Amino acid sequence: MTPTFTPGPSASSLTHSITDRSVSWPTWDQFQRVLLLSDYNTRLVVLGTLTLGAAAGLIGSFMLLRKRALLGDALSHATLPGIVLAFLFSVAAGGTGKGLSVLLLGGSITAVLGVLAVLLIRRYTRIKEDAALGVVLSVFFGLGVALLGIAQRTGQGNSAGLESFIYGKAASMVALDATLIGAVALTVTLICILLFKELKLLCFDTAYAGGQGWPTLRLDLILMAMVVTITVTGLQAVGLILVIALLIIPAAAARFWSDRLAPMAMLAALLGGLSAGVGASMSALFPRMPSGAMIVLVAALVFLVSMIFGRSRGILARALRRHFFNRKVGRQHLLRAMFEVLDSEDEPCSDLTLVQIDRLLALRSWSPRALRREIARAHGDELVVPAGDNAVRFSPGGLLEARRLVRQHRLWEMYLITHADIAPSHVDRDADAIEHILSPELIAQLEELAARKAEAPRIPHSPHAIGVVSPA
Amino acid sequence: MSALAHWEWSLDGWIVVVGILCAVACALVGNFLVLRKMSMMGDAISHAVLPGLAIAFFITGSRANIPMFAGAAIVGVLTALFTEWVRGFGRVDESASMGLVFTTLFALGLLLIVQAADRVDLDPGCVLYGAVELTPLDTVSIAGIQVPRAALMLGIVLLVNLFCVVLFYKELKITAFDPNLATAMGINARAMHYLLMTLVAITTVAAFESVGNILVVAMLVVPAATAHLLTDRLSIMMILSALLAAAAAIFGHVGAIVVPDWFGYGSTSTAGMMAVAAGCLFTLAALLGPRHGLLGRFLRRRVTSPSQVIIE
């Protein structure tokens, strides 16, 4: 093994090497050929990696939910000793040592042993999951490297091909490989569909599943077996280290778009297939780019876009939801405060009575500027009407809304006092926090509670003095 | 054993020394990784430093040490930083965010290296599994003795690790067990976290040449985990892990020469056998450890008589 990073002959130009990349851009004709998959080879590679990506995405979503994302990492490293042993055995038996299925079988066996080792370590020693994964990963890989050292010294020229397992050599995929990948992907998808309900339960509430009598250990092992198969099959396509990426990244990306398992799993499969297909195509267009790296980078880009724009949990979506929620909260606080001011003064709660802004300011800890901003917004929503610089009154619609909100708040306060044993002087704060997200069903329940306590269906009196700041 | 008849102290001795230095340097920081349940971060960083090295090499055009270490340290901290961002902003599960950050950085590194393939004589396999057997051939002269450059680098890193661990022992200990308490006590938990990540990154780079980046994980995690099985006190755990790491290095090199010979093959990779030796020690500790070993627990359960249980 030669040392790394020895500079080549053009040492003087190395300072400019980062700009002098000499990437040959594909011609339009080449682009078209790849896009239409007209080359047999390209077709094989793209479709093969696409299927692999889809299957990996599907399984990855279960692994993500089980919080076992890095198990793929440990597994892919644990395959090395098996692959080398299979190579040595087949060479000793007189074969060429490069038969894909033999190597993959060997890899699968040691990967399964690796999984068992992780489970045993976690179960019987005080070592936690992450350290167990680290131990299994490194020791098995070390064993593989040691065996590889032996294999290389046996002088079998084609042992160098074993290293392609680390980088992937999708470009030299043959029909047999692609068929194998396709078959594996199909089997995995079928099993996932058949066992979807069971796997869903396993991912979300293992204890409940076990209590209900589902064979959780067997299901876990089936899931692990599927991960092993995908990992081992993926070694050929994208390489040992990068197959983990396909197991993790599309699933994590899909997570941002949905909160339900079925859409998430399907989207993960779609994104995985997309990343793999696009990455492989790009690798075909730019022959110097290793296919595995391209696929991972495309997947990472997809993840980034999902993280920002994902509809359900993306950063943008969450920020917008928070923004609108804050707006709603501010509006509701204003309306309720106005109503309470009128209520406490025993003024008739009509839409003609003026509410002084000074009284409002005293009610909550908001700055004059914030209060005026809320009033302006509520005015825009046609809920209040400013009356001069220092007063504001309800609009008819605003008054109705305010009555509804205050009723909701008082009901909740009553519930907290009677059922949660919270002191009346503390209740305002807690009610404040929860009332904005009360659902109509819950309101109906609280109203029923009020009715049972023989309260007239009107706004209950406030259990505490208005305007008194409750102790924290 | 006929295989050991070829033992040459000037070569094999240095190989063992380099192995020991590497293993002990890794074990020192590895203890904290294991305790903080971040063992896989070692794996992540050791994969992720690849682009850092590639960029450092592109920019400086040479294999000088300082730029390499600087590049690695920066990427090490970036890995930790990105993982935190993805976990915090994206609300992604911790292990998944680790996995995605380091695979992306590794892919980036591969791309950069392959780009320069015609300008550098690069053997990616060497980056991954190292070539400790060749380290005695590249020596510098210190006080008249020919010392392998790898031994020098690893020695320096070992001293740096030792220095940081001893200086910040209390802080590292508290942040490892209870980061919230540490923050309440005024210890900057984040700074300790990034310090640890930086140490891991520079140790990884220094160890590239001897054991390669994947087996660094073995040296980071396995001796520390083994020590964790044998004791409950941090100070003893650190000493034990250093001893176990050194033992793994020695057995690893001897094993690399001797074990293949049993099967009729020549010698094999020392780095691989080091990992295997560490794994064997781990298995022994798991089975036979005095307090937490399986055998001990099994026997204790048999020995406790029913009457004792009822009375208590």
Side-chain angles (χ1 to χ4, degrees):
Chain A
M1 294 187 240
T2 55
T4 61
F5 291 128
T6 316
S10 56
S12 57
S13 66
L14 280 168
T15 45
H16 301 294
S17 63
I18 206 158
T19 51
D20 173 28
R21 207 77 63 80
S22 68
V23 168
S24 52
W25 289 96
T27 63
W28 174 244
D29 183 52
Q30 283 175 315
F31 192 69
Q32 223 173 8
R33 286 176 70 87
V34 168
L35 217 58
L36 298 175
L37 299 178
S38 26
D39 284 326
Y40 173 73
N41 227 15
T42 316
R43 207 184 317 155
L44 212 53
V45 169
V46 171
L47 288 179
T49 50
L50 195 147
T51 345
L52 179 71
L58 184 59
I59 284 292
S61 35
F62 294 114
M63 297 302 285
L64 182 69
L65 291 170
R66 296 280 277 147
K67 302 203 190 317
R68 291 224 182 117
L70 288 175
L71 190 68
D73 190 5
L75 279 182
S76 63
H77 285 86
T79 55
L80 188 65
I83 292 174
V84 181
L85 275 174
F87 172 77
L88 288 172
F89 280 138
S90 76
V91 160
T96 61
K98 285 305 302 303
L100 182 63
S101 35
V102 172
L103 294 178
L104 294 187
L105 185 66
S108 312
I109 295 176
T110 46
V112 166
L113 288 175
V115 169
L116 286 176
V118 170
L119 291 176
L120 284 174
I121 294 178
R122 232 186 35 209
R123 175 113 194 259
Y124 289 112
T125 69
R126 73 199 291 218
I127 302 291
K128 304 289 188 304
E129 167 126 18
D130 63 304
L133 283 175
V135 166
V136 166
L137 183 159
S138 49
V139 171
F140 273 65
F141 194 80
L143 183 61
V145 167
L147 289 170
L148 193 64
I150 294 179
Q152 284 173 338
R153 278 165 179 78
T154 59
Q156 294 291 330
N158 36 12
S159 72
L162 289 178
E163 295 194 358
S164 71
F165 274 110
I166 297 179
Y167 300 106
K169 47 173 185 63
S172 55
M173 201 183 282
V174 295
L176 184 61
D177 305 345
T179 328
L180 183 65
I181 292 176
V184 165
L186 201 63
T187 320
V188 162
T189 317
L190 268 171
I191 297 181
C192 283
I193 294 177
L194 285 174
L195 291 177
F196 188 73
K197 228 176 41 205
E198 288 82 352
L199 288 173
K200 186 158 142 181
L201 198 55
L202 186 73
C203 288
F204 287 113
D205 200 340
T206 319
Y208 176 74
Q212 290 288 304
W214 297 95
T216 47
L217 187 62
R218 236 171 288 169
L219 284 170
D220 225 349
L221 287 177
I222 293 178
L223 194 57
M224 297 298 132
M226 286 198 285
V227 176
V228 166
T229 334
I230 296 279
T231 307
V232 163
T233 317
L235 288 181
Q236 274 286 84
V238 297
L240 180 150
I241 295 175
L242 298 165
V243 74
I244 319 157
L246 274 182
L247 281 170
I248 299 178
I249 305 183
R255 184 77 183 86
F256 290 111
W257 295 95
S258 169
D259 278 326
R260 290 173 37 230
L261 182 55
M264 177 188 154
M266 287 193 289
L267 188 62
L270 187 69
L271 292 176
L274 189 73
S275 322
V278 170
S281 308
M282 285 183 69
S283 170
L285 285 172
F286 301 93
R288 283 193 28 197
M289 309 284 197
S291 53
M294 286 310 297
I295 293 174
V296 172
L297 289 175
V298 170
L301 196 64
V302 168
F303 175 83
L304 204 59
V305 167
S306 300
M307 184 162 87
I308 298 176
F309 296 108
R311 198 166 64 90
S312 146
R313 283 160 67 98
I315 292 179
L316 217 57
R318 277 194 280 130
L320 279 174
R321 267 202 295 267
R322 197 168 36 237
H323 173 73
F324 285 125
F325 183 73
N326 284 338
R327 289 275 293 261
K328 182 171 97 158
V329 166
R331 189 176 65 231
Q332 291 186 348
H333 282 168
L334 174 66
L335 291 177
R336 197 159 61 79
M338 282 172 65
F339 193 93
E340 285 182 344
V341 165
L342 294 179
D343 198 30
S344 70
E345 287 173 356
D346 286 326
E347 300 263 349
C349 297
S350 79
D351 53 354
L352 295 172
T353 330
L354 291 180
V355 179
Q356 297 303 318
I357 289 194
D358 304 325
R359 297 277 338 256
L360 284 175
L361 274 176
L363 216 54
R364 299 190 84 92
S365 64
W366 44 29
S367 67
R369 215 177 51 156
L371 178 56
R372 287 185 198 280
R373 200 173 50 220
E374 283 304 334
I375 292 175
R377 281 201 197 129
H379 180 52
D381 290 332
E382 291 178 15
L383 291 168
V384 304
V385 178
D389 266 344
N390 289 321
V392 67
R393 62 176 176 82
F394 282 114
S395 72
L399 186 58
L400 275 174
E401 177 69 6
R403 294 185 86 92
R404 186 185 71 84
L405 288 171
V406 171
R407 184 156 186 284
Q408 197 172 298
H409 184 87
R410 300 273 170 84
L411 282 174
W412 186 246
E413 281 180 341
M414 195 175 61
Y415 172 81
L416 287 176
I417 292 172
T418 55
H419 283 70
D421 279 339
I422 297 184
S425 53
H426 289 68
V427 138
D428 193 17
R429 255 244 168 63
D430 295 304
D432 222 18
I434 196 75
E435 64 179 351
H436 304 289
I437 54 180
L438 290 179
S439 63
E441 294 84 15
L442 195 54
I443 306 264
Q445 277 180 346
L446 291 175
E447 288 179 7
E448 197 200 336
L449 194 66
R452 259 192 276 138
K453 290 182 69 79
E455 294 249 1
R458 55 171 180 79
I459 299 170
H461 288 302
S462 173
H464 58 86
I466 309 272
V468 173
V469 174
S470 56
Chain B
M1 298 184 228
S2 57
L4 283 176
H6 301 291
W7 184 277
E8 272 193 52
W9 279 103
S10 60
L11 275 178
D12 293 295
W14 277 121
I15 294 177
V16 172
V17 166
V18 167
I20 292 180
L21 289 174
C22 170
V24 175
C26 289
L28 280 178
V29 280
N31 282 302
F32 295 106
L33 284 180
V34 167
L35 287 173
R36 296 172 118 216
K37 308 203 204 331
M38 301 186 132
S39 317
M40 291 304 266
M41 190 62 108
D43 181 48
I45 291 184
S46 72
H47 285 76
V49 292
L50 198 65
L53 291 179
I55 293 176
F57 175 67
F58 279 150
I59 294 179
T60 62
S62 74
R63 268 184 76 205
N65 290 323
I66 309 281
M68 295 291 223
F69 279 111
I74 292 173
V75 172
V77 173
L78 280 180
T79 310
L81 206 64
F82 289 152
T83 307
E84 272 307 304
W85 282 354
V86 170
R87 199 182 58 84
F89 288 133
R91 308 266 183 91
V92 183
D93 177 43
E94 166 142 28
S95 55
S97 43
M98 214 188 289
L100 99 90
V101 167
F102 89 75
T103 47
T104 311
L105 288 175
F106 185 82
L108 209 60
L110 262 190
L111 216 61
L112 290 172
I113 289 183
V114 165
Q115 279 300 292
D118 58 354
R119 267 181 289 276
V120 300
D121 180 13
L122 175 64
D123 180 6
C126 193
V127 175
L128 284 169
Y129 353 110
V132 64
E133 299 84 354
L134 298 177
T135 50
L137 302 178
D138 179 13
T139 61
V140 296
S141 144
I142 298 193
I145 315 175
Q146 289 295 318
V147 173
R149 206 169 41 80
L152 185 61
M153 271 205 307
L154 282 168
I156 295 176
V157 166
L158 174 60
L159 287 174
V160 167
N161 282 356
L162 198 58
F163 179 69
C164 287
V165 165
V166 165
L167 187 65
F168 294 110
Y169 184 71
K170 196 176 61 147
E171 288 84 352
L172 283 170
K173 180 165 155 179
I174 300 180
T175 50
F177 287 113
D178 197 341
N180 293 321
L181 174 64
T183 315
M185 285 174 66
I187 299 170
N188 193 341
R190 293 188 83 100
M192 286 300 121
H193 176 70
Y194 289 120
L195 172 69
L196 197 60
M197 296 301 123
T198 314
L199 289 178
V200 170
I202 57 175
T203 313
T204 305
V205 172
F208 261 165
E209 237 172 296
S210 39
V211 293
N213 76 346
I214 301 200
L215 293 162
V216 169
V217 182
M219 291 300 113
L220 281 170
V221 174
V222 185
T226 316
H228 192 43
L229 284 174
L230 295 171
T231 177
D232 291 327
R233 310 242 339 255
L234 180 59
S235 43
I236 306 208
M237 182 174 154
M238 298 202 57
I239 299 175
L240 265 182
S241 63
L243 289 174
L244 288 165
I250 299 172
F251 288 138
H253 187 55
V254 169
I257 300 178
V258 162
V259 172
D261 193 50
W262 296 344
F263 300 98
Y265 294 105
S267 66
T268 182
S269 152
T270 296
M273 289 307 289
M274 276 171 68
V276 173
C280 291
L281 289 171
F282 176 83
T283 319
L284 282 174
L287 290 173
L288 303 171
R291 202 177 302 185
H292 301 285
L294 288 175
L295 204 62
R297 278 195 274 166
F298 179 68
L299 288 175
R300 270 196 291 274
R301 234 178 303 170
R302 294 275 301 271
V303 164
T304 311
S305 69
S307 56
Q308 274 180 314
V309 173
I310 292 171
I311 289 170
E312 280 152 20

